[in-house]
Amino acid sequence: MQAITRRLGHQSLRPTASISSIKSICALSDHYYGGDHPRYGSTLASHKGMGHLVRKGTGGRSSVSGIIATVFGATGFLGRYLVQQLAKMGSQVLVPFRGSEDNPRHLKLMGDLGQIVPMKYDPRDENSIKAVMAKANVVINLIGREYETRNFSFEEVNHFMAEQLAVIAKEHGGIMRFIQVSCLGSSLTSPSRFLRAKAAGEEAVLKELPEATVMKPAVMIGTEDRIMNRWAHFAKKYSFLPLIGGGSTKIQPVYVVDVASAIVAALKDDGSSMGNVYELGGPEIYTVHELAELMYETIREWPRYVNVPLPVAKAIAMPREVLLKKVPFPLPNPDIFNLDQIHAFATDTVVSENALTFMDLGIVPHKLKGYPVEYLIQYRKGGPQFGSTVSEKVNPDSYP
């Protein structure tokens, strides 16, 4: 009996004729994508949209959308909303992270079991980037930083990393869609180094992958945002808010969920968004002062401003930039007085007249006043129900 069992075991390990025929038909490869893999040209042009992918289920989180997306920068502000929308439609999301294993932990709850896959990587190691991209058919780059640190410059984070991802995606051979998230107002002639680096990153990606899609969102508003949260925190701590340059600069803030929806809509189309650049701004244009008024109205505090002229604001922000790489210890990250953001806010940042927008992706963006800024009620000093705005006051005559 043991001899028969051993004989059957040896036979089961041999490749059968049926398996060999399947391999010959499907051209299956025993090799994997790695550092020694031969280089490929871009295959994005041959994949018009994601319609040909195998889909199963009704479209919920337990379905299979056919999308396997590597989302670089998924642990950031926009990343959590994008991962949630991808996972909700049954996509598998590979989440590269470089810090603690706790950083991507909150993302795992957004998808079905095994659909959110955190993968540790080093953005300066080409082989580790190839490893997190190996099984993907979609690459989305959300990496960006609006201030420099001792280890990462504007150019490395916003330009060279984007270029490197595009080159590796081109070599991969199986990437169907590449989406680069840039920033509204990016220009090679901007006084802001951040915006110049973002513009250079866009050009580098489109040079390597002309079929890539570029999204240029305006200032994003949401629960974890880096503008109204900082204003509210500063106003609560110091009882006033500095308005740089009088707050007359025009901006077009956008709800972060709308930006995530635009990226998903581009993935689900028939390929019409490939090779296009979209400028994603909200439905309303605000001055910085008007946006600060909305913040004060929501937290129910009396607005108090200090007008800080541009030269004075630059002088306040300059010491950090000068000492950043000269002192032997890390300096605190800038909040209100960020020299590069001061340069960026010196000019109006609104959607261009003939640009592709949310409407071209079939999305109607939310107005900010209302639900998108409700997270600011956490800054009300007497709790969520403290105080009232003019529109919420009740006429005493209406009391029973």
Side-chain angles (χ1 to χ4, degrees):
M1 178 63 71
Q2 291 179 353
I4 294 173
T5 304
R6 284 196 299 269
R7 197 178 304 118
L8 291 174
H10 287 303
Q11 289 178 357
S12 64
L13 294 174
R14 296 172 188 166
T16 63
S18 59
I19 295 177
S20 301
S21 63
I22 292 173
K23 283 193 173 185
S24 63
I25 293 171
C26 299
L28 297 178
S29 173
D30 293 328
H31 299 287
Y32 65 93
Y33 179 66
D36 56 350
H37 195 282
R39 292 176 177 264
Y40 291 91
S42 172
T43 58
L44 269 66
S46 61
H47 301 291
K48 283 297 181 183
M50 308 298 290
H52 66 285
L53 293 177
V54 177
R55 293 182 172 87
K56 297 179 182 179
T58 58
R61 59 181 274 151
S62 297
S63 303
V64 176
S65 70
I67 295 175
I68 305 174
T70 299
V71 183
F72 291 91
T75 56
F77 174 35
L78 173 59
R80 66 179 62 206
Y81 297 95
L82 177 58
V83 169
Q84 187 267 339
Q85 293 203 23
L86 287 171
K88 186 173 65 175
M89 58 187 277
S91 305
Q92 187 172 44
V93 185
L94 310 178
V95 180
F97 69 98
R98 63 182 182 88
S100 165
E101 292 185 356
D102 291 338
N103 290 352
R105 186 172 60 178
H106 62 284
L107 301 175
K108 295 191 72 174
L109 303 175
M110 297 179 180
D112 210 350
L113 184 63
Q115 290 296 86
I116 311 297
V117 185
M119 302 180 71
K120 198 171 183 67
Y121 89 119
D122 181 357
R124 289 172 173 156
D125 180 9
E126 186 175 338
N127 286 329
S128 76
I129 296 175
K130 289 179 176 180
V132 299
M133 207 184 288
K135 303 296 183 182
N137 54 27
V138 170
V139 173
I140 303 172
N141 180 28
L142 308 180
I143 296 175
R145 181 64 65 82
E146 73 276 13
Y147 57 86
E148 285 189 302
T149 64
R150 289 167 54 86
N151 297 320
F152 292 96
S153 66
F154 283 121
E155 291 72 23
E156 183 177 7
V157 173
N158 302 295
H159 174 195
F160 299 129
M161 285 186 184
E163 182 177 21
Q164 184 182 39
L165 294 182
V167 170
I168 295 174
K170 184 177 180 179
E171 295 174 1
H172 184 287
I175 301 300
M176 301 177 188
R177 299 297 299 271
F178 188 102
I179 296 181
Q180 166 72 13
V181 176
S182 184
C183 184
L184 187 64
S186 59
S187 169
L188 295 175
T189 59
S190 172
S192 163
R193 283 181 60 199
F194 168 73
L195 295 179
R196 291 200 301 270
K198 278 294 187 183
E202 292 172 31
E203 287 195 358
V205 168
L206 292 174
K207 181 179 178 181
E208 293 292 335
L209 299 171
E211 305 83 14
T213 304
V214 176
M215 301 288 182
K216 301 177 66 171
V219 175
M220 290 184 288
I221 302 298
T223 306
E224 306 84 12
D225 70 34
R226 303 187 185 100
I227 179 167
M228 297 187 81
N229 272 310
R230 289 176 177 174
W231 288 354
H233 182 77
F234 193 97
K236 294 295 290 185
K237 187 174 182 179
Y238 299 106
S239 299
F240 72 93
L241 182 66
L243 280 183
I244 298 173
S248 59
T249 305
K250 293 180 180 179
I251 56 177
Q252 199 166 345
V254 60
Y255 187 32
V256 64
V257 174
D258 293 334
V259 179
S261 299
I263 296 172
V264 173
L267 286 179
K268 294 166 68 176
D269 68 11
D270 58 355
S272 57
S273 63
M274 296 177 71
N276 290 334
V277 178
Y278 293 87
E279 296 189 4
L280 308 178
E284 299 170 315
I285 296 176
Y286 291 82
T287 63
V288 174
H289 179 263
E290 290 170 347
L291 192 61
E293 286 285 318
L294 176 60
M295 180 272 295
Y296 269 116
E297 180 182 355
T298 307
I299 68 173
R300 296 175 177 174
E301 295 278 350
W302 188 263
R304 297 181 182 89
Y305 302 106
V306 173
N307 185 20
V308 182
L310 277 174
V312 176
K314 292 176 182 178
I316 295 172
M318 185 63 73
R320 181 186 184 275
E321 305 302 317
V322 173
L323 298 174
L324 180 62
K325 297 184 179 180
K326 294 183 179 180
V327 295
F329 51 85
L331 295 175
N333 297 330
D335 287 334
I336 302 293
F337 293 100
N338 180 344
L339 182 61
D340 202 79
Q341 290 296 296
I342 293 171
H343 287 306
F345 278 168
T347 56
D348 296 342
T349 307
V350 296
V351 173
S352 306
E353 184 176 353
N354 298 318
L356 297 173
T357 63
F358 280 112
M359 299 303 177
D360 298 284
L361 294 168
I363 295 173
V364 179
H366 292 78
K367 292 186 177 181
L368 287 190
K369 190 170 183 178
Y371 179 74
V373 294
E374 274 192 0
Y375 64 92
L376 290 174
I377 65 175
Q378 64 182 306
Y379 295 100
R380 293 177 184 172
K381 63 182 179 182
Q385 305 303 321
F386 173 79
S388 62
T389 62
V390 174
S391 61
E392 294 170 336
K393 288 181 178 178
V394 180
N395 187 349
D397 296 335
S398 64
Y399 289 165

PDB file of all heavy atoms in Angstrom, residues 363-387:
ATOM      1  N   ILE A 363     -18.706  64.383 -12.543  1.00  0.00           N
ATOM      2  CA  ILE A 363     -18.819  64.598 -11.092  1.00  0.00           C
ATOM      3  C   ILE A 363     -19.213  66.041 -10.825  1.00  0.00           C
ATOM      4  O   ILE A 363     -18.678  66.974 -11.437  1.00  0.00           O
ATOM      5  CB  ILE A 363     -17.485  64.277 -10.389  1.00  0.00           C
ATOM      6  CG1 ILE A 363     -17.160  62.791 -10.543  1.00  0.00           C
ATOM      7  CG2 ILE A 363     -17.518  64.662  -8.921  1.00  0.00           C
ATOM      8  CD1 ILE A 363     -15.795  62.418 -10.034  1.00  0.00           C
ATOM      9  N   VAL A 364     -20.152  66.221  -9.913  1.00  0.00           N
ATOM     10  CA  VAL A 364     -20.544  67.561  -9.459  1.00  0.00           C
ATOM     11  C   VAL A 364     -19.922  67.777  -8.078  1.00  0.00           C
ATOM     12  O   VAL A 364     -20.311  67.116  -7.110  1.00  0.00           O
ATOM     13  CB  VAL A 364     -22.078  67.699  -9.382  1.00  0.00           C
ATOM     14  CG1 VAL A 364     -22.458  69.091  -8.880  1.00  0.00           C
ATOM     15  CG2 VAL A 364     -22.703  67.421 -10.745  1.00  0.00           C
ATOM     16  N   PRO A 365     -18.954  68.673  -7.945  1.00  0.00           N
ATOM     17  CA  PRO A 365     -18.283  68.856  -6.648  1.00  0.00           C
ATOM     18  C   PRO A 365     -19.180  69.501  -5.610  1.00  0.00           C
ATOM     19  O   PRO A 365     -20.091  70.269  -5.941  1.00  0.00           O
ATOM     20  CB  PRO A 365     -17.088  69.760  -6.992  1.00  0.00           C
ATOM     21  CG  PRO A 365     -17.507  70.487  -8.233  1.00  0.00           C
ATOM     22  CD  PRO A 365     -18.393  69.545  -8.994  1.00  0.00           C
ATOM     23  N   HIS A 366     -18.925  69.176  -4.349  1.00  0.00           N
ATOM     24  CA  HIS A 366     -19.706  69.717  -3.238  1.00  0.00           C
ATOM     25  C   HIS A 366     -19.305  71.162  -2.939  1.00  0.00           C
ATOM     26  O   HIS A 366     -18.135  71.539  -3.073  1.00  0.00           O
ATOM     27  CB  HIS A 366     -19.483  68.898  -1.963  1.00  0.00           C
ATOM     28  CG  HIS A 366     -20.042  67.512  -2.027  1.00  0.00           C
ATOM     29  ND1 HIS A 366     -19.422  66.483  -2.694  1.00  0.00           N
ATOM     30  CD2 HIS A 366     -21.163  66.976  -1.491  1.00  0.00           C
ATOM     31  CE1 HIS A 366     -20.130  65.372  -2.562  1.00  0.00           C
ATOM     32  NE2 HIS A 366     -21.196  65.647  -1.842  1.00  0.00           N
ATOM     33  N   LYS A 367     -20.286  71.942  -2.488  1.00  0.00           N
ATOM     34  CA  LYS A 367     -19.961  73.245  -1.913  1.00  0.00           C
ATOM     35  C   LYS A 367     -19.379  73.023  -0.515  1.00  0.00           C
ATOM     36  O   LYS A 367     -19.744  72.088   0.184  1.00  0.00           O
ATOM     37  CB  LYS A 367     -21.212  74.114  -1.831  1.00  0.00           C
ATOM     38  CG  LYS A 367     -21.743  74.539  -3.190  1.00  0.00           C
ATOM     39  CD  LYS A 367     -22.912  75.515  -3.037  1.00  0.00           C
ATOM     40  CE  LYS A 367     -23.381  75.998  -4.408  1.00  0.00           C
ATOM     41  NZ  LYS A 367     -24.504  76.971  -4.293  1.00  0.00           N
ATOM     42  N   LEU A 368     -18.484  73.923  -0.116  1.00  0.00           N
ATOM     43  CA  LEU A 368     -17.792  73.719   1.166  1.00  0.00           C
ATOM     44  C   LEU A 368     -18.703  73.948   2.361  1.00  0.00           C
ATOM     45  O   LEU A 368     -18.642  73.210   3.345  1.00  0.00           O
ATOM     46  CB  LEU A 368     -16.577  74.642   1.271  1.00  0.00           C
ATOM     47  CG  LEU A 368     -15.359  74.300   0.405  1.00  0.00           C
ATOM     48  CD1 LEU A 368     -14.188  75.156   0.829  1.00  0.00           C
ATOM     49  CD2 LEU A 368     -15.010  72.835   0.505  1.00  0.00           C
ATOM     50  N   LYS A 369     -19.539  74.959   2.282  1.00  0.00           N
ATOM     51  CA  LYS A 369     -20.344  75.304   3.450  1.00  0.00           C
ATOM     52  C   LYS A 369     -21.358  74.204   3.717  1.00  0.00           C
ATOM     53  O   LYS A 369     -22.166  73.854   2.867  1.00  0.00           O
ATOM     54  CB  LYS A 369     -21.061  76.635   3.226  1.00  0.00           C
ATOM     55  CG  LYS A 369     -21.712  77.177   4.489  1.00  0.00           C
ATOM     56  CD  LYS A 369     -22.200  78.595   4.305  1.00  0.00           C
ATOM     57  CE  LYS A 369     -22.775  79.146   5.597  1.00  0.00           C
ATOM     58  NZ  LYS A 369     -23.224  80.548   5.469  1.00  0.00           N
ATOM     59  N   GLY A 370     -21.289  73.630   4.904  1.00  0.00           N
ATOM     60  CA  GLY A 370     -22.150  72.510   5.247  1.00  0.00           C
ATOM     61  C   GLY A 370     -21.326  71.313   5.676  1.00  0.00           C
ATOM     62  O   GLY A 370     -20.363  71.445   6.442  1.00  0.00           O
ATOM     63  N   TYR A 371     -21.677  70.150   5.159  1.00  0.00           N
ATOM     64  CA  TYR A 371     -21.043  68.918   5.619  1.00  0.00           C
ATOM     65  C   TYR A 371     -19.512  68.904   5.457  1.00  0.00           C
ATOM     66  O   TYR A 371     -18.813  68.445   6.367  1.00  0.00           O
ATOM     67  CB  TYR A 371     -21.656  67.721   4.895  1.00  0.00           C
ATOM     68  CG  TYR A 371     -21.038  66.403   5.296  1.00  0.00           C
ATOM     69  CD1 TYR A 371     -21.323  65.819   6.532  1.00  0.00           C
ATOM     70  CD2 TYR A 371     -20.129  65.756   4.463  1.00  0.00           C
ATOM     71  CE1 TYR A 371     -20.732  64.635   6.921  1.00  0.00           C
ATOM     72  CE2 TYR A 371     -19.536  64.562   4.844  1.00  0.00           C
ATOM     73  CZ  TYR A 371     -19.844  64.000   6.063  1.00  0.00           C
ATOM     74  OH  TYR A 371     -19.252  62.842   6.444  1.00  0.00           O
ATOM     75  N   PRO A 372     -18.935  69.368   4.322  1.00  0.00           N
ATOM     76  CA  PRO A 372     -17.469  69.271   4.168  1.00  0.00           C
ATOM     77  C   PRO A 372     -16.656  69.959   5.263  1.00  0.00           C
ATOM     78  O   PRO A 372     -15.508  69.590   5.478  1.00  0.00           O
ATOM     79  CB  PRO A 372     -17.224  69.919   2.800  1.00  0.00           C
ATOM     80  CG  PRO A 372     -18.484  69.677   2.051  1.00  0.00           C
ATOM     81  CD  PRO A 372     -19.572  69.817   3.077  1.00  0.00           C
ATOM     82  N   VAL A 373     -17.216  70.962   5.953  1.00  0.00           N
ATOM     83  CA  VAL A 373     -16.452  71.640   7.005  1.00  0.00           C
ATOM     84  C   VAL A 373     -17.012  71.361   8.398  1.00  0.00           C
ATOM     85  O   VAL A 373     -16.619  72.019   9.371  1.00  0.00           O
ATOM     86  CB  VAL A 373     -16.403  73.169   6.760  1.00  0.00           C
ATOM     87  CG1 VAL A 373     -15.616  73.481   5.506  1.00  0.00           C
ATOM     88  CG2 VAL A 373     -17.801  73.780   6.696  1.00  0.00           C
ATOM     89  N   GLU A 374     -17.908  70.391   8.523  1.00  0.00           N
ATOM     90  CA  GLU A 374     -18.486  70.087   9.830  1.00  0.00           C
ATOM     91  C   GLU A 374     -17.462  69.566  10.826  1.00  0.00           C
ATOM     92  O   GLU A 374     -17.676  69.629  12.030  1.00  0.00           O
ATOM     93  CB  GLU A 374     -19.625  69.070   9.686  1.00  0.00           C
ATOM     94  CG  GLU A 374     -20.963  69.702   9.376  1.00  0.00           C
ATOM     95  CD  GLU A 374     -22.106  68.711   9.522  1.00  0.00           C
ATOM     96  OE1 GLU A 374     -21.836  67.545   9.853  1.00  0.00           O
ATOM     97  OE2 GLU A 374     -23.255  69.110   9.294  1.00  0.00           O
ATOM     98  N   TYR A 375     -16.338  69.040  10.328  1.00  0.00           N
ATOM     99  CA  TYR A 375     -15.315  68.536  11.244  1.00  0.00           C
ATOM    100  C   TYR A 375     -14.769  69.641  12.147  1.00  0.00           C
ATOM    101  O   TYR A 375     -14.183  69.366  13.203  1.00  0.00           O
ATOM    102  CB  TYR A 375     -14.171  67.895  10.456  1.00  0.00           C
ATOM    103  CG  TYR A 375     -13.417  68.859   9.568  1.00  0.00           C
ATOM    104  CD1 TYR A 375     -12.275  69.515  10.037  1.00  0.00           C
ATOM    105  CD2 TYR A 375     -13.833  69.122   8.277  1.00  0.00           C
ATOM    106  CE1 TYR A 375     -11.594  70.408   9.237  1.00  0.00           C
ATOM    107  CE2 TYR A 375     -13.155  69.995   7.462  1.00  0.00           C
ATOM    108  CZ  TYR A 375     -12.038  70.643   7.945  1.00  0.00           C
ATOM    109  OH  TYR A 375     -11.364  71.528   7.147  1.00  0.00           O
ATOM    110  N   LEU A 376     -14.953  70.899  11.763  1.00  0.00           N
ATOM    111  CA  LEU A 376     -14.431  72.010  12.560  1.00  0.00           C
ATOM    112  C   LEU A 376     -15.211  72.230  13.853  1.00  0.00           C
ATOM    113  O   LEU A 376     -14.765  72.999  14.715  1.00  0.00           O
ATOM    114  CB  LEU A 376     -14.453  73.307  11.734  1.00  0.00           C
ATOM    115  CG  LEU A 376     -13.452  73.383  10.574  1.00  0.00           C
ATOM    116  CD1 LEU A 376     -13.680  74.649   9.767  1.00  0.00           C
ATOM    117  CD2 LEU A 376     -12.017  73.325  11.079  1.00  0.00           C
ATOM    118  N   ILE A 377     -16.359  71.556  14.012  1.00  0.00           N
ATOM    119  CA  ILE A 377     -17.113  71.750  15.259  1.00  0.00           C
ATOM    120  C   ILE A 377     -16.335  71.238  16.465  1.00  0.00           C
ATOM    121  O   ILE A 377     -16.656  71.592  17.600  1.00  0.00           O
ATOM    122  CB  ILE A 377     -18.496  71.073  15.196  1.00  0.00           C
ATOM    123  CG1 ILE A 377     -18.373  69.554  15.093  1.00  0.00           C
ATOM    124  CG2 ILE A 377     -19.328  71.630  14.050  1.00  0.00           C
ATOM    125  CD1 ILE A 377     -19.707  68.825  15.151  1.00  0.00           C
ATOM    126  N   GLN A 378     -15.296  70.419  16.232  1.00  0.00           N
ATOM    127  CA  GLN A 378     -14.477  69.948  17.356  1.00  0.00           C
ATOM    128  C   GLN A 378     -13.746  71.099  18.044  1.00  0.00           C
ATOM    129  O   GLN A 378     -13.273  70.953  19.173  1.00  0.00           O
ATOM    130  CB  GLN A 378     -13.464  68.919  16.855  1.00  0.00           C
ATOM    131  CG  GLN A 378     -12.448  69.475  15.867  1.00  0.00           C
ATOM    132  CD  GLN A 378     -11.498  68.448  15.339  1.00  0.00           C
ATOM    133  OE1 GLN A 378     -10.848  67.754  16.112  1.00  0.00           O
ATOM    134  NE2 GLN A 378     -11.419  68.330  14.022  1.00  0.00           N
ATOM    135  N   TYR A 379     -13.632  72.245  17.367  1.00  0.00           N
ATOM    136  CA  TYR A 379     -12.924  73.388  17.944  1.00  0.00           C
ATOM    137  C   TYR A 379     -13.856  74.332  18.704  1.00  0.00           C
ATOM    138  O   TYR A 379     -13.394  75.349  19.216  1.00  0.00           O
ATOM    139  CB  TYR A 379     -12.198  74.166  16.836  1.00  0.00           C
ATOM    140  CG  TYR A 379     -11.095  73.372  16.176  1.00  0.00           C
ATOM    141  CD1 TYR A 379     -11.304  72.750  14.951  1.00  0.00           C
ATOM    142  CD2 TYR A 379      -9.854  73.226  16.782  1.00  0.00           C
ATOM    143  CE1 TYR A 379     -10.305  72.021  14.334  1.00  0.00           C
ATOM    144  CE2 TYR A 379      -8.842  72.499  16.182  1.00  0.00           C
ATOM    145  CZ  TYR A 379      -9.073  71.891  14.954  1.00  0.00           C
ATOM    146  OH  TYR A 379      -8.080  71.155  14.364  1.00  0.00           O
ATOM    147  N   ARG A 380     -15.138  74.031  18.764  1.00  0.00           N
ATOM    148  CA  ARG A 380     -16.046  74.883  19.541  1.00  0.00           C
ATOM    149  C   ARG A 380     -15.767  74.700  21.029  1.00  0.00           C
ATOM    150  O   ARG A 380     -15.715  73.572  21.522  1.00  0.00           O
ATOM    151  CB  ARG A 380     -17.501  74.526  19.223  1.00  0.00           C
ATOM    152  CG  ARG A 380     -17.904  74.857  17.805  1.00  0.00           C
ATOM    153  CD  ARG A 380     -19.321  74.424  17.490  1.00  0.00           C
ATOM    154  NE  ARG A 380     -19.653  74.676  16.085  1.00  0.00           N
ATOM    155  CZ  ARG A 380     -20.761  74.262  15.488  1.00  0.00           C
ATOM    156  NH1 ARG A 380     -21.669  73.588  16.191  1.00  0.00           N
ATOM    157  NH2 ARG A 380     -20.980  74.531  14.224  1.00  0.00           N
ATOM    158  N   LYS A 381     -15.614  75.795  21.744  1.00  0.00           N
ATOM    159  CA  LYS A 381     -15.128  75.707  23.116  1.00  0.00           C
ATOM    160  C   LYS A 381     -16.149  75.117  24.081  1.00  0.00           C
ATOM    161  O   LYS A 381     -15.785  74.635  25.140  1.00  0.00           O
ATOM    162  CB  LYS A 381     -14.692  77.089  23.602  1.00  0.00           C
ATOM    163  CG  LYS A 381     -15.804  78.126  23.663  1.00  0.00           C
ATOM    164  CD  LYS A 381     -15.224  79.469  24.103  1.00  0.00           C
ATOM    165  CE  LYS A 381     -16.292  80.554  24.156  1.00  0.00           C
ATOM    166  NZ  LYS A 381     -15.719  81.865  24.538  1.00  0.00           N
ATOM    167  N   GLY A 382     -17.431  75.131  23.733  1.00  0.00           N
ATOM    168  CA  GLY A 382     -18.451  74.596  24.626  1.00  0.00           C
ATOM    169  C   GLY A 382     -19.102  73.330  24.117  1.00  0.00           C
ATOM    170  O   GLY A 382     -20.191  72.984  24.562  1.00  0.00           O
ATOM    171  N   GLY A 383     -18.453  72.638  23.186  1.00  0.00           N
ATOM    172  CA  GLY A 383     -19.035  71.422  22.621  1.00  0.00           C
ATOM    173  C   GLY A 383     -19.737  71.686  21.310  1.00  0.00           C
ATOM    174  O   GLY A 383     -19.888  72.844  20.881  1.00  0.00           O
ATOM    175  N   PRO A 384     -20.198  70.643  20.636  1.00  0.00           N
ATOM    176  CA  PRO A 384     -20.793  70.793  19.301  1.00  0.00           C
ATOM    177  C   PRO A 384     -21.988  71.725  19.244  1.00  0.00           C
ATOM    178  O   PRO A 384     -22.232  72.358  18.224  1.00  0.00           O
ATOM    179  CB  PRO A 384     -21.205  69.362  18.944  1.00  0.00           C
ATOM    180  CG  PRO A 384     -20.343  68.481  19.784  1.00  0.00           C
ATOM    181  CD  PRO A 384     -20.101  69.227  21.049  1.00  0.00           C
ATOM    182  N   GLN A 385     -22.763  71.827  20.347  1.00  0.00           N
ATOM    183  CA  GLN A 385     -23.962  72.650  20.328  1.00  0.00           C
ATOM    184  C   GLN A 385     -23.721  74.060  20.868  1.00  0.00           C
ATOM    185  O   GLN A 385     -24.663  74.836  21.024  1.00  0.00           O
ATOM    186  CB  GLN A 385     -25.072  71.979  21.150  1.00  0.00           C
ATOM    187  CG  GLN A 385     -25.385  70.556  20.724  1.00  0.00           C
ATOM    188  CD  GLN A 385     -25.778  70.482  19.259  1.00  0.00           C
ATOM    189  OE1 GLN A 385     -26.474  71.349  18.753  1.00  0.00           O
ATOM    190  NE2 GLN A 385     -25.320  69.438  18.584  1.00  0.00           N
ATOM    191  N   PHE A 386     -22.464  74.408  21.137  1.00  0.00           N
ATOM    192  CA  PHE A 386     -22.172  75.704  21.750  1.00  0.00           C
ATOM    193  C   PHE A 386     -22.409  76.837  20.759  1.00  0.00           C
ATOM    194  O   PHE A 386     -21.999  76.764  19.610  1.00  0.00           O
ATOM    195  CB  PHE A 386     -20.727  75.748  22.232  1.00  0.00           C
ATOM    196  CG  PHE A 386     -20.299  77.106  22.731  1.00  0.00           C
ATOM    197  CD1 PHE A 386     -20.650  77.537  23.993  1.00  0.00           C
ATOM    198  CD2 PHE A 386     -19.568  77.961  21.928  1.00  0.00           C
ATOM    199  CE1 PHE A 386     -20.272  78.786  24.447  1.00  0.00           C
ATOM    200  CE2 PHE A 386     -19.179  79.203  22.368  1.00  0.00           C
ATOM    201  CZ  PHE A 386     -19.530  79.617  23.646  1.00  0.00           C
ATOM    202  N   GLY A 387     -23.037  77.909  21.249  1.00  0.00           N
ATOM    203  CA  GLY A 387     -23.194  79.117  20.454  1.00  0.00           C
ATOM    204  C   GLY A 387     -24.133  78.916  19.282  1.00  0.00           C
ATOM    205  O   GLY A 387     -24.777  77.889  19.115  1.00  0.00           O
TER     206      GLY A 387
END
